[in-house]
Amino acid sequence: MSRNLEELHPYVKYLAEKFIEECKKQGIYVLIYSTFRSKEEQDKLYSQVRTTSGKKVINAKGGYSYHNYGLAFDCVPIINNKAQWNRIDLYNTMGKIGKNLGLEWGGDFKNIKERPHFQWTGGLSIKDLLQGKRPVSQVNLEFENSINKLFQENIINSPYYWINNKEYKTEYVKKLIYKFSQYLGINKLENEFTNILNKLRDKKIIDSPDYWIDNKEYKTEYVIELIIKFAKYIEENNIDSEFISAINKLVNRNIINSPDYWINNKEYKNEYVKEFIKKIADKLG
């Protein structure tokens, strides 16, 4: 029985890593003890109790489990180096975390509750999988869509570079972060990289500014996740790029001082609007 995350479907591996990370934030340390299982191994486990002596551990024959396709993993919470199999409260929290990430949780199964079990089907049934169908990588799809979104907003110039490379130059990633911050109206110079990252953290786009500051090389998966977050932020906040461009022009002409205020507020104080109008009038003579 494998516990190697590398044997999972790429997107499930990504979700498993995020799951561990999110559980840790809730103070729950998780051990993933089962990932991919061959059909032969599945049949052997299935035979326990039914045809051989032993404890009943699974409910599906070989080929009828999402484990057999690298689309599922089993896990247990750990406290003081001991597995907490009976801590239903912890499993319930883990179940919520998994479902928030887009995983299906075995604790919701109708027939038999399988609280350690999490799976991602990609919209495919076991019948589909038996017929040879396989889910595409959602990470790849979401990443490419995010790249195209940033290209449309003139935040990146070459989608090909980001889509077709497995490693990214640090200098290019930093320029991307800087251009995105400009897009949001964070009017900082490139040499104020730390301040830019802190602003992005305040907006909950970046979790750890220190990672981007202190590392000379960035992990590819972290860059991909960052790009996806950039695109999601634009979509979720209905950002008007023409409005931001206009604000930045006014900053360059010293008509306004704080682009972040005008871009990120839905209501403006009367005194600031009056001051703004007066400055425009002064510029117009």
Side-chain angles (χ1 to χ4, degrees):
M1 183 183 298
S2 175
R3 60 175 62 178
N4 187 354
L5 297 186
E6 296 297 330
E7 294 189 37
L8 292 170
H9 180 282
Y11 187 54
V12 182
K13 174 179 177 288
Y14 167 79
L15 291 177
E17 290 172 338
K18 289 294 294 179
F19 174 75
I20 293 171
E21 181 183 326
E22 293 302 315
C23 285
K24 190 175 181 180
K25 290 179 183 178
Q26 297 289 329
I28 302 173
Y29 293 86
V30 171
L31 170 68
I32 292 181
Y33 62 86
S34 178
T35 54
F36 173 79
R37 288 200 292 261
S38 68
K39 293 178 183 179
E40 181 182 2
E41 186 178 25
Q42 186 80 21
D43 279 333
K44 184 178 179 180
L45 291 170
Y46 181 79
S47 69
Q48 288 184 205
V49 173
R50 294 174 174 86
T51 58
T52 65
S53 61
K55 183 181 178 181
K56 182 178 177 181
V57 290
I58 62 172
N59 299 292
K61 295 180 180 180
Y64 288 83
S65 168
Y66 284 101
H67 282 283
N68 304 147
Y69 306 94
L71 300 176
F73 60 86
D74 295 333
C75 59
V76 61
I78 303 294
I79 296 178
N80 296 328
N81 295 320
K82 292 183 179 180
Q84 306 296 311
W85 299 102
N86 299 318
R87 287 290 301 273
I88 294 176
D89 58 326
L90 296 180
Y91 272 118
N92 287 341
T93 301
M94 290 158 61
K96 290 178 182 178
I97 292 170
K99 289 190 287 186
N100 285 339
L101 291 171
L103 290 161
E104 295 178 10
W105 179 43
D108 289 334
F109 291 172
K110 292 182 180 179
N111 295 329
I112 299 176
K113 303 292 184 184
E114 295 183 43
R115 291 184 178 87
H117 180 88
F118 291 86
Q119 65 188 33
W120 178 77
T121 69
L124 298 180
S125 65
I126 290 294
K127 182 179 178 181
D128 293 326
L129 295 169
L130 287 169
Q131 291 174 349
K133 296 179 181 179
R134 295 293 182 269
V136 296
S137 172
Q138 289 298 107
V139 166
N140 289 344
L141 283 176
E142 193 171 8
F143 178 56
E144 289 187 19
N145 289 337
S146 298
I147 288 292
N148 289 327
K149 178 67 177 176
L150 298 184
F151 177 67
Q152 290 170 7
E153 300 297 327
N154 295 315
I155 296 170
I156 64 170
N157 300 320
S158 175
Y160 181 86
Y161 171 79
W162 299 97
I163 291 171
N164 293 287
N165 278 293
K166 294 182 179 179
E167 294 182 1
Y168 303 114
K169 290 184 177 180
T170 304
E171 62 197 275
Y172 291 173
V173 177
K174 286 187 174 181
K175 284 182 179 179
L176 173 64
I177 293 172
Y178 177 66
K179 287 198 73 174
F180 181 70
S181 70
Q182 277 192 314
Y183 177 87
L184 295 184
I186 300 172
N187 196 32
K188 302 289 183 182
L189 301 175
E190 285 187 74
N191 59 7
E192 296 183 81
F193 192 57
T194 300
N195 291 332
I196 290 170
L197 292 171
N198 286 331
K199 284 281 188 180
L200 294 176
R201 179 193 55 195
D202 293 342
K203 295 179 184 297
K204 298 182 179 179
I205 300 170
I206 285 178
D207 297 322
S208 175
D210 290 342
Y211 173 80
W212 303 97
I213 295 167
D214 297 334
N215 284 287
K216 294 181 180 179
E217 294 182 2
Y218 299 136
K219 289 185 178 180
T220 301
E221 57 263 37
Y222 291 176
V223 176
I224 289 173
E225 183 179 0
L226 183 65
I227 288 172
I228 291 172
K229 282 184 175 180
F230 283 172
K232 280 185 176 178
Y233 187 86
I234 292 171
E235 291 176 0
E236 290 173 359
N237 291 276
N238 297 314
I239 293 175
D240 184 339
S241 58
E242 290 184 4
F243 176 64
I244 291 174
S245 178
I247 289 292
N248 285 327
K249 285 181 181 178
L250 295 175
V251 170
N252 293 334
R253 295 182 182 182
N254 296 316
I255 296 173
I256 63 173
N257 301 318
S258 175
D260 192 56
Y261 172 80
W262 297 95
I263 291 169
N264 295 297
N265 281 292
K266 294 181 180 179
E267 294 182 2
Y268 304 120
K269 291 183 177 180
N270 288 339
E271 60 265 35
Y272 292 173
V273 176
K274 287 179 180 179
E275 181 184 354
F276 171 61
I277 292 171
K278 288 175 183 178
K279 282 188 176 182
I280 293 176
D282 288 341
K283 288 289 180 180
L284 294 174

